[in-house]
Amino acid sequence: MAQLEQSAAPGSEWWRTAVIYQIYPRSFADASGDGIGDLPGITSRLDSLKELGVDAIWLSPFMTSPQRDAGYDVADYRDVDPLFGTLADFDEMLAQAHARGIRVIVDLVPNHSSDQHSWFQEALKAGSGSKERARYVFRDGRGENGELPPNNWESVFGGGMWERVTEADGTPGQWYLHIFDATQPDFDWTNEEVKEEFRSILRFWLDRGVDGFRVDVAHGMVKEAGLPDYAPVADADSMGGGEENVPYWGQDGVHDIYRDWHNVLAEYDGDRALCGEAWLPTLAQTALWVRPDEMHQTFNFPYLMTPWDAEKLRDVIRQSLDAFGGVGAPSTWVLSNHDVVRHASRLALTAENPQGEGIGPKSEGKPDPVVGLARGRAATTLMLALPGSAYLYQGEELGLPEAMDIPDEFRQDPTWFRTNGERYGRDGCRVPIPWQADAPAFGFNDTGASWLPQPAEWAQFARDVEEQDAASTLNLYKQLIRLRSEHGFGNGTLVWEDQGQDAVAFRRGDIHVVANLGAQPLELGEGVEFVVQSQPFDGTALPADTTAWFRKA
Ligand code: NOJ
């Protein structure tokens, strides 16, 4: 085995070690009863997050938006969409979170706006060559009459990456670039006005008291000069994680933007933080996002994408600690979010399922739910023993699986529409979460309305049921978060241990952590005193798909 000891990069800022809980506002708690979650709903449930023990919450977008991509299409960056409440509701939620010692990170979407944003509407009217069009990526088409798109790029959501506009005089005109849906035009980040506008948006939310930003598509904002043709690798993960040298992902110029923003945040007290959503093919590239003068965190997507395989997991953990440690940053571990199949299902898939594809009634390789849940719990028990920060996604603390049987007519992800149903997309991880087994919409609201249908079998995962069950996933998460904090696992040194090919094993101080990814029980030997087990078992043989923390006499 190579290096035996690996340490977290030193530093005492909160974000280096924090456990951060992602709230997907549409699906967390719905105070208005219209079937879509909202800010007052979040405020009403903060006590349950305090009990869970998380240090911070990250809210997916709640700003004004036509909701063509569930809020990742922002029409006004400085206001709250009426679906979610008002700015006053936001301030109240923030104050209540802070009163409980919970920090708040908001989502910033700087790669693109909604086509309903006033700037884009002005650009449509202003015409070719105008300063209004220069804020976005407008180009003339190819072909004799400009009838062909400016290049061959393909949208992450399927179809082409260009949309042709009709000019004010009614003739077919220029084309604009959209990495995502046609209703999400990309900004031109070489434009000074765009840069100034986003500094001002950052200050707007910092002045209100937010503790940081999760930066959407942080690897997409700058495109290669000349916009050269590029065809994506077949079956690649949709957000770019599996491809090298893509002209719209990971261009060097993005780093100047983050250096600039780093300085904006540094004007404020309290260690405000930027966390990048950057899907990049290697850890070495991912670590560039968190050099000392850039972002503070970036999601460790190579870790998230690692299958349930001991050797691959050991490698990715080792490389993560090296790569992030090498630039003085923490690794930001994550297993689930609103764009990937929930990890209590994903880790037991038996067929390829690239990120963004989703699972639906006709998918192949569906997971066994029992195996999935065991692996999901084991994976989290391992993750929360690692040095660095960790993000959790709402519902994973209940052990929620992916919702795999959403009827077609309820689907809302633009991926589903842009691929004509070829890819299910991400609705399956976005279903409103269950709070009470015997209540309308499982306590998501009191009307029973739900923007995506909740599977009937989710009653067993309801928070009130799990609160009563000592062996529930909820109680496991509570225990893990508390123990992680008590033992200071977010920081410090990890010493690798050898428990055979099928195990991931290391020591944190006097606590041994072993995950058994093999099919056979793993004998841990004499004198074992368990601290926590990802699922209950007797004796000292660690069952398959199980992680334990223990001391040895
Ligand atoms: C990444 C977000 O997480 C995803 O949900 C969204 O569709 C795209 N960026 C576009 O904003």
Side-chain angles (χ1 to χ4, degrees):
M1 202 169 266
Q3 188 191 357
L4 198 61
E5 271 194 26
Q6 291 186 284
S7 295
S12 58
E13 300 92 333
W14 68 274
W15 43 263
R16 288 183 180 275
T17 57
V19 176
I20 302 174
Y21 181 95
Q22 178 188 358
I23 292 183
Y24 195 64
R26 306 183 129 247
S27 302
F28 184 69
D30 174 23
S32 74
D34 65 355
I36 299 183
D38 45 40
L39 294 170
I42 297 173
T43 308
S44 74
R45 296 290 192 181
L46 286 171
D47 283 336
S48 65
L49 299 181
K50 179 78 191 158
E51 280 164 27
L52 182 58
V54 299
D55 302 299
I57 52 180
W58 147 38
L59 270 60
S60 282
F62 51 81
M63 294 82 187
T64 312
S65 160
Q67 306 291 321
R68 295 298 292 267
D69 184 21
Y72 282 96
D73 48 327
V74 179
D76 182 349
Y77 288 87
R78 296 183 183 81
D79 206 352
V80 170
D81 194 282
L83 270 181
F84 300 115
T86 61
L87 271 177
D89 292 330
F90 176 79
D91 291 341
E92 174 66 8
M93 187 278 304
L94 184 67
Q96 291 293 336
H98 282 169
R100 289 164 177 77
I102 298 174
R103 293 176 203 262
V104 178
I105 293 176
V106 297
D107 217 306
L108 182 74
V109 188
N111 177 71
H112 48 267
S113 70
S114 159
D115 62 351
Q116 300 306 307
H117 191 285
S118 59
W119 274 13
F120 192 72
Q121 290 299 313
E122 288 165 17
L124 288 180
K125 285 195 200 103
S128 171
S130 61
K131 77 170 187 5
E132 287 82 359
R133 285 214 174 166
R135 294 162 177 159
Y136 292 92
V137 186
F138 277 89
R139 293 288 185 277
D140 293 332
R142 296 198 277 203
E144 212 172 309
N145 300 305
E147 70 280 13
L148 299 173
N151 69 21
N152 70 347
W153 295 359
E154 288 172 29
S155 157
V156 162
F157 291 159
M161 214 190 263
W162 295 91
E163 187 76 8
R164 193 169 196 190
V165 302
T166 302
E167 301 296 356
D169 64 3
T171 58
Q174 286 195 296
W175 298 72
Y176 65 86
L177 181 80
H178 56 91
I179 290 189
F180 296 92
D181 191 57
T183 60
Q184 294 167 294
D186 281 42
F187 286 112
D188 183 341
W189 270 93
T190 63
N191 183 308
E192 278 310 318
E193 239 189 308
V194 171
K195 293 182 189 168
E196 191 46 41
E197 174 67 357
F198 272 90
R199 281 181 209 117
S200 157
I201 293 166
L202 286 171
R203 291 197 176 98
F204 176 86
W205 292 103
L206 289 165
D207 288 340
R208 293 198 104 80
V210 304
D211 298 284
F213 301 89
R214 175 267 190 189
V215 181
D216 189 60
V217 204
H219 59 320
M221 294 152 72
V222 174
K223 281 77 183 175
E224 189 176 328
L227 311 181
D229 274 350
Y230 173 80
V233 175
D235 292 332
D237 297 326
S238 74
M239 227 79 83
E243 299 163 88
E244 299 277 354
N245 303 322
V246 185
Y248 41 89
W249 297 138
Q251 298 292 305
D252 287 347
V254 291
H255 298 287
D256 296 335
I257 303 170
Y258 303 136
R259 292 195 181 99
D260 185 31
W261 291 5
H262 184 104
N263 292 335
V264 173
L265 266 69
E267 292 164 12
Y268 290 79
D269 61 1
D271 292 331
R272 317 279 177 119
L274 293 166
C275 177
E277 188 227 13
W279 295 79
L280 296 153
T282 65
L283 278 158
Q285 286 175 56
T286 309
L288 299 179
W289 262 250
V290 284
R291 286 175 286 190
D293 57 349
E294 297 197 34
M295 294 204 174
H296 307 85
Q297 303 181 316
T298 192
F299 292 110
N300 189 338
F301 290 132
Y303 173 74
L304 181 150
M305 297 308 287
T306 303
W308 192 238
D309 174 295
E311 187 177 359
K312 291 192 172 120
L313 256 185
R314 288 193 301 264
D315 283 352
V316 76
I317 294 170
R318 183 185 299 285
Q319 288 167 20
S320 299
L321 294 172
D322 278 350
F324 290 109
V327 293
S331 172
T332 298
W333 310 102
V334 59
L335 288 166
S336 278
N337 65 33
H338 65 292
D339 290 328
V340 300
V341 172
R342 283 185 174 279
H343 74 276
S345 298
R346 190 183 70 241
L347 295 174
L349 285 168
T350 57
E352 286 292 305
N353 189 289
Q355 184 276 325
E357 175 146 335
I359 317 178
K362 296 186 196 134
S363 298
E364 287 176 8
K366 285 194 199 159
D368 176 310
V370 175
V371 175
L373 183 57
R375 289 184 181 173
R377 292 170 57 131
T380 303
T381 307
L382 182 68
M383 176 175 84
L384 290 178
L386 293 169
S389 172
Y391 277 70
L392 309 176
Y393 175 51
Q394 67 178 38
E396 67 166 87
E397 77 280 19
L398 304 172
L400 283 189
E402 186 82 353
M404 289 178 255
D405 294 312
I406 299 175
D408 294 357
E409 63 271 25
F410 289 102
R411 294 204 172 267
Q412 305 221 7
D413 187 342
T415 309
W416 166 258
F417 299 103
R418 289 187 62 89
T419 63
N420 296 317
E422 202 177 296
R423 278 156 52 194
Y424 285 105
R426 304 157 296 173
D427 291 325
C429 62
R430 298 177 172 182
V431 172
I433 61 173
W435 295 87
Q436 292 157 263
D438 295 318
F442 296 130
F444 169 59
N445 54 27
D446 54 20
T447 62
S450 176
W451 70 281
L452 286 172
Q454 298 164 298
E457 61 274 16
W458 277 18
Q460 64 183 300
F461 297 108
R463 190 167 304 247
D464 65 345
V465 172
E466 295 208 16
E467 267 162 1
Q468 305 307 318
D469 173 5
S472 68
T473 306
L474 179 63
N475 280 319
L476 172 67
Y477 270 64
K478 284 185 184 172
Q479 221 182 334
L480 290 170
I481 295 169
R482 178 177 54 77
L483 288 165
R484 180 181 187 279
S485 160
E486 279 172 19
H487 293 293
F489 279 0
N491 250 315
T493 302
L494 171 157
V495 182
W496 286 100
E497 298 195 310
D498 188 357
Q499 287 279 357
Q501 271 312 302
D502 291 334
V504 178
F506 50 80
R507 187 167 57 71
R508 306 293 323 271
D510 66 342
I511 296 187
H512 303 266
V513 177
V514 181
N516 180 8
L517 287 82
Q520 301 307 319
L522 184 68
E523 185 47 62
L524 299 173
E526 298 288 295
V528 167
E529 181 200 317
F530 288 107
V531 177
V532 62
Q533 302 164 318
S534 66
Q535 56 181 336
F537 61 91
D538 295 328
T540 56
L542 188 64
D545 297 328
T546 308
T547 300
W549 302 5
F550 57 92
R551 291 193 178 83
K552 267 196 139 176

